[in-house]
Amino acid sequence: MQGNLTALLITSFIVLSVVLIGFIAGRDKASRSSVEEWSVGGRRFGALLVWLLIGADLYTAYTFLGLTSTAYSAGSLAFFSIPYTIIAFFISYFFLPKLWKVSKIHKLTTLADYAKERFDSKLLSLLIAIVGVLMLIPYIDLQLAGIQDTLTVAGTGYINVKVVVILSFLLVALYTFFSGIKGPTYTAIIKDILVWVIMLFLVASLPIIHFGGWGSMMDKLVVDSPQLLTIPTTGPKGIPWFVTASLVSGLALFMWAHAATGVFTAKSADALRKNAIFLPLYNIVLILVIFLGFVAFHVLPEGSNPRFALLHLIQMSYGGVVQGLAYSTIALASLIPCSIMAIGASNLFANNIYRDFINPNVKPAKLTMITRSMVFVVIGLALIFGMLFPTALVSLQLLGVSGMVQIFPAIVFSLFWRRQTKEATIIGLIVGLIVTFTVYATGSSFGIYEGFWGLLANVAVLVVLNPIFEKKALLKTNPIIEQLFSKQAESEKLSKKSA
């Protein structure tokens, strides 16, 4: 299908303008003066900026294209994304402020930093860093796929899509290298405004264009395709899969390096509590966007590629101007999260692999430059991987969720459990990863999300083995343990005295 030149020009203009703003955001040399400034903005972002940044971080092109594609082909299974984000935001209210306070005082910029200092274990830090980087590459690839699909629909017949995709991601790498977290933060403001305005416009107008209104659309769905509105009770992806996928994805959400990066930019713990309350507002858009997959199911020709469901629906429903605004929104929802993900992955590699294991005596200035330069490596690897294995991206990203949730006990449990030991935590993490990948490779999930089996094994091993090493852990202390549990220790002493 031929692209639309007007749509392509509008998309190009908006994307290039936003990338330019990304460069301007980092014009102050202070933004790249240290790892802390470059990666988490010196922890000076207020509640609104953090809300926009985390929103831009989590609600990506894959969210919109992937969910409409899932709704188009698998119906209501796409709705698992609603409870999982609610679970994530609910639990984040209780543990993110605590994690932020520790990270602020001890100048930690990654979850692996926290694990290293909390457990005095570079090995655990290394494991978390490796998992974080490896699981993030396919996620960055999905952003690559998002902009590639958008340009394919908008630019067919006018541009070489692969060349433009490579140039786009190189521009993002350059502005990320130059501006650090300030680039995607300030460009996220534009992206999120477009998401709210354009996506709400689409969900309001598309049912009117094709069915005469939402009521008529729902009547047609109920009569002609009721299977789209029900979750299967049998098969590999039924209600057990839906429940466990929601739970695992919710627990994993803030374990991702890019989500943690957004969290560490906050200037106060209260900003994170406000985010936990107001971030679910994005689900208003998300719920309605899923219904666009149902619209596409009835409107697009039979046999259409689900991957392009939303894009082709836009193409056949609007003129060039609206197409351009919609495509640029989706393109920005690819590029801006890619920038934040690259920062998160670069930070993990430079701080928790290079500094801790390759060059422990590295000077701060050199470490900052290495961290910034790793952006090109991360994005370059993602480009290569995405072009070599384009059909594996979605399944690998879903596997990535199952992998990332395995660090949840190491991070979240340890914020509240004084007696948690590094030995049991490391063994649990390794067992959880092995079980997850074994279940995935053999296809023996029994209708349960793969990561759930891994997490179950992880926690079971942690609980069973922890008492073996507990005495040693109780004798050990460090500044983070003292900060987290000093009041608890005092109350335990007082109760012993009174007894």
Side-chain angles (χ1 to χ4, degrees):
M1 190 180 280
Q2 180 74 16
N4 184 296
L5 184 58
T6 301
L8 179 63
L9 291 173
I10 291 172
T11 301
S12 303
F13 174 76
I14 292 175
V15 169
L16 289 173
S17 299
V18 170
V19 168
L20 178 62
I21 291 168
F23 278 105
I24 294 171
R27 66 190 182 278
D28 183 358
K29 288 183 180 180
S31 63
R32 47 192 176 275
S33 60
S34 68
V35 171
E36 188 175 30
E37 284 290 339
W38 182 82
S39 63
V40 294
R43 306 176 209 270
R44 289 189 294 271
F45 294 175
L48 181 59
L49 274 182
V50 174
W51 186 74
L52 291 166
L53 178 62
I54 296 179
D57 202 0
L58 302 181
Y59 294 89
T60 68
Y62 171 64
T63 304
F64 304 118
L65 298 181
L67 286 180
T68 50
S69 170
T70 302
Y72 177 91
S73 56
S76 286
L77 281 178
F79 282 109
F80 93 93
S81 62
I82 307 304
Y84 106 65
T85 49
I86 299 299
I87 291 168
F89 300 145
F90 172 75
I91 63 173
S92 76
Y93 183 92
F94 300 98
F95 80 85
L96 285 184
K98 204 173 180 77
L99 178 63
W100 179 88
K101 286 178 183 177
V102 169
S103 302
K104 166 78 172 176
I105 291 172
H106 300 280
K107 296 189 180 299
L108 312 176
T109 57
T110 68
L111 295 181
D113 280 345
Y114 165 76
K116 181 181 72 174
E117 301 299 330
R118 164 65 175 86
F119 291 100
D120 292 319
S121 175
K122 286 187 178 181
L123 175 58
L124 179 57
S125 170
L126 177 66
L127 287 172
I128 290 172
I130 290 172
V131 170
V133 173
L134 290 181
M135 298 299 106
L136 206 49
I137 295 295
Y139 211 163
I140 294 173
D141 279 329
L142 283 174
Q143 311 317 313
L144 163 72
I147 193 168
Q148 183 169 317
D149 291 351
T150 303
L151 291 173
T152 297
V153 173
T156 297
Y158 298 108
I159 58 172
N160 184 315
V161 172
K162 286 189 176 179
V163 171
V164 175
V165 168
I166 292 170
L167 289 174
S168 299
F169 273 75
L170 286 176
L171 277 174
V172 169
L174 280 169
Y175 95 62
T176 306
F177 172 82
F178 183 74
S179 302
I181 196 66
K182 286 185 178 178
T185 300
Y186 289 101
T187 55
I189 297 171
I190 301 168
K191 175 257 183 186
D192 281 7
I193 290 172
L194 281 171
V195 163
W196 279 94
V197 173
I198 300 302
M199 289 300 167
L200 287 176
F201 172 76
L202 294 181
V203 299
S205 61
L206 281 169
I208 295 172
I209 291 170
H210 294 288
F211 302 101
W214 268 80
S216 301
M217 180 190 75
M218 293 304 297
D219 289 340
K220 188 169 182 61
L221 287 175
V222 170
V223 174
D224 293 350
S225 51
Q227 76 280 3
L228 293 178
L229 301 175
T230 55
I231 299 169
T233 54
T234 58
K237 289 188 176 180
I239 291 175
W241 182 92
F242 186 97
V243 172
T244 52
S246 300
L247 177 62
V248 167
S249 300
L251 298 181
L253 189 62
F254 285 102
M255 299 300 103
W256 289 98
H258 56 293
T261 296
V263 167
F264 290 150
T265 62
K267 70 177 182 181
S268 69
D270 194 47
L272 296 174
R273 293 188 187 95
K274 288 177 181 176
N275 267 269
I277 295 169
F278 293 111
L279 273 169
L281 286 172
Y282 279 96
N283 282 0
I284 296 171
V285 176
L286 216 55
I287 292 169
L288 298 173
V289 165
I290 290 171
F291 277 94
L292 296 185
F294 302 154
V295 174
F297 180 84
H298 284 276
V299 170
L300 296 181
E302 191 174 344
S304 296
N305 188 341
R307 175 171 169 170
F308 295 94
L310 179 59
L311 294 167
H312 281 158
L313 183 63
I314 292 167
Q315 188 177 39
M316 71 180 295
S317 305
Y318 302 105
V321 174
V322 175
Q323 283 184 45
L325 291 171
Y327 295 155
S328 59
T329 301
I330 295 169
L332 292 175
S334 294
L335 295 173
I336 293 169
C338 172
S339 176
I340 308 168
M341 290 172 190
I343 289 172
S346 301
N347 217 355
L348 281 172
F349 177 85
N351 285 281
N352 306 114
I353 298 175
Y354 179 82
R355 181 191 63 193
D356 289 346
F357 288 90
I358 299 173
N359 187 3
N361 298 316
V362 62
K363 293 181 179 178
K366 184 177 179 181
L367 181 64
T368 303
M369 180 55 70
I370 289 169
T371 308
R372 293 170 61 206
S373 301
M374 277 303 300
V375 166
F376 296 102
V377 177
V378 170
I379 291 179
L381 286 173
L383 281 167
I384 294 168
F385 191 89
M387 290 178 178
L388 290 177
F389 308 103
T391 59
L393 297 183
V394 174
S395 59
L396 284 174
Q397 195 275 332
L398 292 174
L399 179 61
V401 173
S402 295
M404 289 310 303
V405 78
Q406 304 310 321
I407 72 171
F408 186 88
I411 303 301
V412 180
F413 287 14
S414 67
L415 288 167
F416 302 93
W417 188 10
R418 169 68 175 86
R419 295 167 181 262
Q420 186 173 348
T421 67
K422 70 178 180 183
E423 293 86 357
T425 303
I426 290 170
I427 297 169
L429 172 57
I430 294 170
V431 169
L433 290 169
I434 291 171
V435 169
T436 296
F437 288 108
T438 302
V439 170
Y440 180 81
T442 59
S444 307
S445 65
F446 304 103
I448 302 291
Y449 198 66
E450 293 90 350
F452 182 79
W453 293 117
L455 184 62
L456 209 60
N458 186 343
V459 174
V461 168
L462 174 59
V463 171
V464 170
L465 294 185
N466 202 74
I468 298 172
F469 307 101
E470 204 171 66
K471 282 187 179 180
K472 184 180 174 183
L474 286 173
L475 294 173
K476 181 185 290 186
T477 189
N478 60 45
I480 287 183
I481 291 174
E482 288 177 6
Q483 181 185 341
L484 288 171
F485 303 107
S486 58
K487 290 182 180 178
Q488 179 183 321
E490 287 172 11
S491 64
E492 285 178 359
K493 285 181 182 177
L494 288 171
S495 63
K496 283 180 182 178
K497 285 180 180 180
S498 61

